[in-house]
Amino acid sequence: MEQDNGNSILIDINKIEKKLYELEKEKENIQSSCTHKEVVINFDDKRSLKKYCSECKRELGYATKEEEQDFLKPKG
């Protein structure tokens, strides 16, 4: 009986992984068609400052030193 449950879990996991792959491809297609007109600076998951498109959230590269200083200076 446990083997059937394990097999069912594996099937469910495979379905989820396939769906994630399909969604990632869809995201890439949307981001590829974006013109990236407006760029924002923000931290990535490794705490590096990077440029992102404000519309599609695509990573566009690292911020320049000037962009970093402007982003980090106190507002107000």
Side-chain angles (χ1 to χ4, degrees):
M1 191 73 169
E2 285 184 39
Q3 189 175 16
D4 290 339
N5 188 30
N7 195 24
S8 175
I9 291 171
L10 181 59
I11 290 170
D12 290 343
I13 295 297
N14 286 338
K15 285 179 185 178
I16 291 169
E17 288 176 340
K18 182 179 180 189
K19 187 66 175 173
L20 284 170
Y21 175 80
E22 291 169 354
L23 289 170
E24 192 62 39
K25 282 296 183 188
E26 184 178 348
K27 177 182 169 183
E28 287 175 17
N29 288 337
I30 292 168
Q31 289 176 325
S32 292
S33 67
C34 181
T35 58
H36 314 304
K37 291 180 183 177
E38 194 169 327
V39 176
V40 295
I41 308 295
N42 212 338
F43 290 100
D44 68 1
D45 57 348
K46 296 176 184 159
R47 297 185 182 164
S48 296
L49 282 173
K50 292 193 176 176
K51 298 180 199 181
Y52 296 91
C53 175
S54 65
E55 290 185 31
C56 73
K57 297 185 179 182
R58 184 176 196 163
E59 183 181 306
L60 302 174
Y62 287 97
T64 64
K65 289 293 180 195
E66 184 179 306
E67 291 168 328
E68 286 179 11
Q69 290 173 354
D70 188 49
F71 177 80
L72 294 172
K73 75 179 174 188
K75 309 285 191 254

